[in-house]
Amino acid sequence: MRKIVISAALSLVCTSAMATQMYRWVDENGVTQFSQQPPAEDQYQRMQVKPAPELGTGSLAPDTDSPAGEQTESTESAEPAAAAQPTPEQQAKLAEQCDALRANLTTMQNNPRLRRTLEDGTVERIGEDERQAMIAKAQADLQEHCQ
């Protein structure tokens, strides 16, 4: 049993370490492909993989950064009303993010002894001033994006 737990933990660590670089390219059929390995003969573009935001620091605003070299022609000619209407997928994602933000806010408000794990593996306690700032940020995000 101990070996299974250790191997499962190591596989999770290895998976997160391997998922740091992604490649994007268009194949001969015109289909956009994504992979952790670059294609042999096709031209490809490296994608920047961003880690998940820390508790209470993530923004719910959509990511407007497009990959280098990629431009959309229809952005300028699109009607403002059509651009303001999010797709059902975007609405579902926003609702999921709002639920997660509400849960994080509840945790921050109900637990005065918060802590976080740093990149080097050490655990650090979050001070009361920083906790209050995180609560204020989460409340502002909820008010701005989840009304």
Side-chain angles (χ1 to χ4, degrees):
M1 181 68 176
R2 185 175 179 182
K3 290 181 182 180
I4 293 172
V5 172
I6 291 173
S7 62
L10 287 175
S11 67
L12 288 174
V13 170
C14 292
T15 302
S16 65
M18 289 179 4
T20 57
Q21 187 62 52
M22 294 289 294
Y23 299 93
R24 174 182 175 219
W25 71 96
V26 178
D27 66 6
E28 61 274 353
N29 297 328
V31 178
T32 302
Q33 302 287 328
F34 295 91
S35 174
Q36 292 179 352
Q37 301 294 325
E41 60 268 347
D42 292 335
Q43 288 186 346
Y44 60 89
Q45 177 182 14
R46 285 185 183 209
M47 304 296 295
Q48 295 295 326
V49 179
K50 297 178 184 177
E54 288 187 30
L55 179 67
T57 61
S59 173
L60 294 176
D63 188 14
T64 57
D65 296 337
S66 62
E70 181 179 326
Q71 297 179 357
T72 56
E73 297 174 13
S74 62
T75 308
E76 295 176 10
S77 62
E79 297 178 14
Q85 292 295 329
T87 65
E89 295 156 353
Q90 291 172 334
Q91 289 175 343
K93 184 177 180 180
L94 182 61
E96 183 179 313
Q97 290 175 338
C98 288
D99 291 342
L101 188 57
R102 284 185 192 97
N104 288 342
L105 178 60
T106 301
T107 299
M108 289 185 287
Q109 288 174 330
N110 294 336
N111 188 356
R113 297 183 65 179
L114 297 176
R115 61 185 180 160
R116 69 174 144 239
T117 303
L118 302 176
E119 291 179 11
D120 63 356
T122 60
V123 177
E124 170 184 76
R125 184 163 184 256
I126 297 174
E128 184 61 24
D129 292 338
E130 186 176 359
R131 179 178 155 259
Q132 291 300 324
M134 290 168 66
I135 289 172
K137 171 96 168 89
Q139 288 171 337
D141 284 346
L142 274 171
Q143 187 174 12
E144 182 178 347
H145 300 288
C146 299
Q147 292 297 328

